Amino acid sequence: MNKKLTEIRNLLMEHHDWFQKSIPLIASENITSPAVDEACASDFSHRYAEGWSGQRVYAGCKYIDQIEDICMDLTKEYFKCIHADVRPVSGVVANLAMYNAFTSDNNGKMCCMAIVRGGHISHGPRFAKSGNEIFGTAGTTRGINVEYLAFDNDEMNLDIDGSAKIIREFEPELVLFGGSVFLFPHPVKELSEVAKEVGANVGYDGAHVAGLIGSGYFQDPLREGADVMTMSTHKTLPGPQHGILVSNREDLIETLKACAFPALLSNHHLHNVAGLAIALAEMLEFGKDYHKKVIENAQALGQALSDIGIKVLMEHKNFTESHQIVVDITDFEKTIGLGGDIEKLLEEANIILNRNLLPYDIAQGRHYQNPGGLRIGTSEITRLGMGKSEMVDIAEFFKKLLVEMNDPKKIKNEVIEFRKDFQEIKYCFQSPSKAYEYLKFY
Ligand SMILES: *Cc1c(COP(=O)(O)O)cnc(C)c1O
């Protein structure tokens, strides 16, 4: 076999092996079912289909169109809406389409949550008034002026009165809710009314919480005032990496379509559209159970960590109403270090999560590279079948590593042993075919 091929295949196999022996806690990740994997490995990955289903610019789309129609129908059913664009190739691309639709070409104006409070890098404008080099450059295709909404650190949520004042003074074209650190539903209802007063449209970036919303938990942005909701399809919604934009505004449908294609899309990763359709069908069937469990596990993990003396934010509100919790690890600064150091230590023990800025980190002089917090998500471990008692086991690993400072190599063996009982994906259809068996991770 070719040397490079061998090398690449071996690395992929090592990666699979490692993740099968790990506790995956990254809040923005999840795993797809074998049936979804099979669709994603199909011939659709070789094809082009520009434009809207039924009005393609390419030949050969007979079956592609039928599957994309099914994908749009399932999206509308899951999110209870009249318009679904399943072409954006990622959540960021869906956001860009929304910015195209709602902000002016020059000097557009948007209000959103600050990145250091949990806003996403794609909310970072190119010429940010309150941004900086790192947080201000990624994202928009043109210069949108951004003013950040007011945030209440004690509630880990947008501050309604402060944000209302900012919206009235700044008079944005778009008010955007949602973010990457997202513990509690945003006050969409209250602030949408203020947005409408100044003539702004309302967007909701549901990248993280899309699955929770579709399954009927968290909040219901389209009925609370959002004109458009964008999302990634691979976080709490356990589909392949892709994006969706949905709306209930009949009058906006043509604008929204045109703002995505041809502006931001050519080929739109048709294999992932097929995989997404299957993931949506799975969530229409299993999502109610699955996402309820995801949230319960997040709260249980918050409690279990708190019980062993690790500081978890928002204990007075049961830690979270989503799939995430945020941990303050500044107590370990002298013994182990900050977020970056702890992330590394946990990784050595096969516990995979990411460091995260706490809302008060910058004010206290900490840097995003080595912040005072960790963000932990329960989407993936729940899909692997873990429940409340496993949350206690996981907290115990944290205690051994951070409090008792055991050798991570020793704890790694315990993690591998623990993970042996969780090797199957739950809340999904059984794969009907063995055609792509060799691609399966589980
Ligand atoms: C993850 C995320 C996105 C987009 O991610 P993609 O990788 O482009 O799908 C957008 N917004 C928020 C709030 C996110 O957390």
Side-chain angles (χ1 to χ4, degrees):
M1 198 154 50
N2 173 279
K3 236 169 89 186
K4 278 296 158 206
L5 172 60
T6 308
E7 185 185 347
I8 294 163
R9 287 191 84 236
N10 285 343
L11 288 169
L12 281 169
M13 287 192 280
E14 279 178 46
H15 173 89
H16 287 187
D17 183 61
W18 184 34
F19 268 75
Q20 278 173 315
K21 293 174 175 166
S22 298
I23 301 175
L25 296 172
I26 293 186
S28 54
E29 296 182 356
N30 210 324
I31 28 169
T32 45
S33 68
V36 171
D37 292 346
E38 185 186 65
C40 292
S42 70
D43 179 70
F44 276 25
S45 70
H46 310 132
R47 305 301 154 205
Y48 259 92
E50 290 179 346
W52 199 257
S53 172
Q55 307 158 26
R56 304 293 196 189
V57 187
Y58 277 81
C61 297
K62 188 156 63 170
Y63 300 106
I64 291 167
D65 277 10
Q66 290 179 57
I67 289 185
E68 195 161 311
D69 287 345
I70 293 171
C71 190
M72 287 190 279
D73 286 344
L74 292 170
T75 304
K76 288 186 232 174
E77 188 182 341
Y78 192 50
F79 293 103
K80 302 184 181 63
C81 59
I82 57 169
H83 174 65
D85 192 341
V86 299
R87 299 172 302 169
V89 295
S90 75
V92 167
V93 172
N95 278 349
L96 294 177
M98 170 173 59
Y99 300 160
N100 273 350
F102 292 145
T103 65
S104 311
D105 279 346
N106 294 304
N107 286 314
K109 286 166 90 176
M110 169 166 89
C111 283
C112 61
M113 189 159 72
I115 293 165
V116 295
R117 298 286 192 278
H120 187 249
I121 44 171
S122 65
H123 306 169
R126 195 142 154 220
F127 308 113
K129 192 176 159 201
S130 1
N132 63 26
E133 271 296 299
I134 300 295
F135 294 126
T137 47
T140 61
T141 51
R142 54 213 166 123
I144 300 172
N145 298 297
V146 170
E147 190 62 64
Y148 291 132
L149 296 166
F151 193 83
D152 182 346
N153 289 356
D154 298 326
E155 293 295 312
M156 282 300 279
N157 207 336
L158 296 169
D159 172 72
I160 297 177
D161 293 340
S163 295
K165 188 161 172 278
I166 288 164
I167 293 168
R168 288 197 180 101
E169 279 172 15
F170 189 64
E171 300 189 333
E173 299 165 295
L174 172 62
V175 175
L176 180 60
F177 298 99
S180 302
V181 178
F182 207 174
L183 304 181
F184 302 102
H186 280 172
V188 175
K189 200 159 187 228
E190 295 84 344
L191 291 175
S192 288
E193 285 167 18
V194 182
K196 299 292 162 187
E197 265 175 45
V198 300
N201 281 294
V202 175
Y204 185 100
D205 182 341
H208 261 270
V209 291
L212 309 181
I213 289 172
S215 294
Y217 305 101
F218 205 63
Q219 65 184 145
D220 194 0
L222 292 180
R223 271 147 290 276
E224 291 166 19
D227 300 295
V228 162
M229 175 163 71
T230 59
M231 69 196 84
S232 305
T233 55
H234 45 266
K235 298 184 181 179
T236 50
L237 185 61
Q241 295 187 331
H242 203 72
I244 298 180
L245 183 154
V246 294
S247 177
N248 255 338
R249 286 274 306 269
E250 178 87 52
D251 56 318
L252 284 178
I253 292 176
E254 290 312 312
T255 307
L256 291 168
K257 281 187 192 173
C259 285
F261 175 87
L264 301 167
L265 296 166
S266 170
N267 155 43
H268 57 274
H269 304 183
L270 307 162
H271 51 303
N272 289 343
V273 173
L276 174 58
I278 293 172
L280 286 160
E282 286 174 343
M283 286 305 106
L284 279 160
E285 186 144 332
F286 306 107
K288 274 246 174 288
D289 287 345
Y290 169 58
H291 289 114
K292 181 164 179 274
K293 211 65 194 265
V294 166
I295 298 167
E296 283 172 2
N297 278 344
Q299 291 167 342
L301 186 57
Q303 189 60 56
L305 287 168
S306 186
D307 287 346
I308 57 159
I310 289 177
K311 213 183 280 169
V312 185
L313 300 196
M314 303 306 295
E315 178 155 19
H316 67 287
K317 283 171 77 176
N318 203 13
F319 308 103
T320 185
E321 290 177 33
S322 76
H323 61 301
Q324 312 178 352
I325 54 172
V326 177
V327 175
D328 177 333
I329 41 74
T330 53
D331 283 350
F332 303 105
E333 181 166 12
K334 291 223 169 63
T335 51
I336 303 172
L338 287 173
D341 311 298
I342 289 183
E343 178 187 289
K344 229 179 263 145
L345 176 90
L346 293 168
E347 192 186 272
E348 278 176 50
N350 280 13
I351 296 174
I352 300 175
L353 51 67
N354 62 313
R355 61 187 184 270
N356 211 99
L357 272 172
L358 298 170
Y360 41 85
D361 264 348
I362 300 290
Q364 296 181 1
R366 285 182 291 272
H367 191 255
Y368 74 94
Q369 285 287 12
N370 207 8
L374 305 173
R375 187 185 65 172
I376 300 179
T378 52
S379 306
E380 188 166 343
I381 52 175
T382 305
R383 208 159 194 229
L384 288 167
M386 293 187 200
K388 281 184 192 164
S389 74
E390 283 74 33
M391 299 308 112
V392 176
D393 297 337
I394 291 171
E396 209 47 47
F397 289 131
F398 276 73
K399 184 178 173 190
K400 287 177 181 170
L401 289 159
L402 305 184
V403 182
E404 296 167 358
M405 293 178 66
N406 281 286
D407 181 0
K409 287 193 196 69
K410 179 176 156 242
I411 307 305
K412 174 179 162 174
N413 291 326
E414 294 180 24
V415 168
I416 292 171
E417 201 49 42
F418 165 81
R419 185 55 213 274
K420 278 189 180 151
D421 291 339
F422 303 96
Q423 292 294 323
E424 229 175 73
I425 299 182
K426 312 288 184 192
Y427 310 100
C428 66
F429 303 135
Q430 293 313 304
S431 183
S433 146
K434 302 237 179 265
Y436 295 95
E437 192 76 31
Y438 67 96
L439 284 167
K440 279 180 13 183
F441 295 2
Y442 291 94

